[in-house]
Amino acid sequence: MPADPSPGFAGETPARSAGIHQRSAADHPPRGSATSAVEVRRSSRRSRTVSAYREGDRTIVLIPARMSEAEEQRWVGVMLDKLAAQESRRILGDSELAERAERLSAQYLEGRAGPVSVRWVTNQNTRWGSCTPAEGSIRLSHRLQGMPEYVVDYVLVHELAHLLVPGHGPRFWRLLDAYPRTERARGYLEGVVAADRLPHLPAARGE
């Protein structure tokens, strides 16, 4: 696939810009690990930082009280991605990756794609993933490690679909349409590629 197209604690993230607001999973679809709800807690003691952590089946996001609804929506998304990235780094070794591929095949491809091996590799810098249908092998670029799990899942489903359909014709995309976060994951990866192409800024004074 070319590059172009716990309780976990996300830490303190500065926000530009005490009550409890309950948000359902429909308002903020969980990114990565499934959660049933997102709870936003506003605090007058917070002025510049946002943090988040898992609490049972909920995700708690702590934000400054003065933050607008639009900023709240944006920061909830940011913190969900940060948590998902931390969880991806923590749990997805090669064996977990293979187990995840099997579950995704069963969930989205009726179990028809049965990879023999699924592993991380460090020699794919222009592709997010690749597969060899004749061998049933799938390889994911190590650059995906630390990205949100829904992005890793998208690349896995993409390569699983290639075990069934080698090219990128209509039949292939019909298979991939079964994965509900395809467009969102593609947008994330396109953003990563675009950011990589930006020129490096000169160091600031004092750095």
Side-chain angles (χ1 to χ4, degrees), residues 91-101 103 118-120:
I91 66 172
L92 291 182
D94 282 355
S95 59
E96 291 87 359
L97 203 62
E99 292 172 2
R100 197 170 193 86
R103 290 198 300 271
V118 185
R119 61 191 175 93
W120 297 107

Side-chain angles (χ1 to χ4, degrees), residues 88-103 115-122 138-142 145 152 156:
S88 180
R89 283 195 300 269
R90 184 172 60 251
I91 66 172
L92 291 182
D94 282 355
S95 59
E96 291 87 359
L97 203 62
E99 292 172 2
R100 197 170 193 86
E102 290 181 7
R103 290 198 300 271
V116 174
S117 67
V118 185
R119 61 191 175 93
W120 297 107
V121 294
T122 58
I138 290 175
R139 298 164 296 279
L140 264 58
S141 171
H142 73 287
Q145 292 175 327
V152 177
L156 279 172

Side-chain angles (χ1 to χ4, degrees), residues 4 15 17 23 28 37 39 58 61 63 68 78-79 87 95 127 135-136 147 152 157 169 181 191 193 196 202:
D4 282 338
S17 58
R23 296 288 183 264
H28 297 297
E39 182 179 308
R58 296 179 300 165
V61 181
I63 66 173
S68 69
V78 168
M79 300 312 287
E87 290 163 351
S95 59
R127 291 176 175 269
E135 300 175 357
M147 291 188 187
V152 177
V157 175
R181 299 184 182 178
V193 172
D196 286 344

Side-chain angles (χ1 to χ4, degrees), residues 3-203:
D4 282 338
S6 98
F9 190 77
E12 298 286 334
T13 300
R16 301 176 186 174
S17 58
I20 296 177
H21 289 215
Q22 191 76 23
R23 296 288 183 264
S24 69
D27 294 326
H28 297 297
R31 307 180 183 196
S33 298
T35 58
S36 62
V38 174
E39 182 179 308
V40 178
R41 297 178 181 175
R42 292 176 174 263
S43 171
S44 58
R45 290 178 294 181
R46 284 179 177 265
S47 59
R48 296 180 57 83
T49 61
V50 177
S51 62
Y53 60 93
R54 306 288 192 199
E55 186 178 89
D57 62 355
R58 296 179 300 165
T59 300
I60 310 300
V61 181
L62 309 175
I63 66 173
R66 295 183 179 180
M67 186 171 285
S68 69
E69 286 294 322
E71 289 174 318
E72 174 187 319
Q73 293 283 334
R74 181 169 68 86
W75 277 103
V76 166
V78 168
M79 300 312 287
L80 286 174
D81 273 346
K82 286 173 69 70
L83 281 174
Q86 289 178 352
E87 290 163 351
S88 180
R89 283 195 300 269
R90 184 172 60 251
I91 66 172
L92 291 182
D94 282 355
S95 59
E96 291 87 359
L97 203 62
E99 292 172 2
R100 197 170 193 86
E102 290 181 7
R103 290 198 300 271
L104 291 168
S105 175
Q107 186 172 1
Y108 298 113
L109 301 173
E110 300 177 342
R112 289 182 291 153
V116 174
S117 67
V118 185
R119 61 191 175 93
W120 297 107
V121 294
T122 58
N123 60 352
Q124 288 189 163
N125 294 317
T126 60
R127 291 176 175 269
W128 296 116
S130 62
C131 73
T132 305
E135 300 175 357
S137 61
I138 290 175
R139 298 164 296 279
L140 264 58
S141 171
H142 73 287
R143 294 183 303 141
L144 288 164
Q145 292 175 327
M147 291 188 187
E149 287 184 7
Y150 75 89
V151 176
V152 177
D153 285 353
Y154 163 71
V155 179
L156 279 172
V157 175
H158 187 112
E159 300 308 329
L160 286 166
H162 274 315
L163 294 181
L164 303 174
V165 180
H168 288 97
R171 183 172 167 234
F172 171 83
W173 291 111
R174 282 196 297 272
L175 288 175
L176 207 57
D177 280 344
Y179 182 65
R181 299 184 182 178
T182 288
E183 291 306 315
R184 180 176 172 189
R186 284 175 61 84
Y188 185 100
L189 293 173
E190 287 167 1
V192 171
V193 172
D196 286 344
R197 290 175 177 170
L198 290 175
H200 292 290
L201 297 175

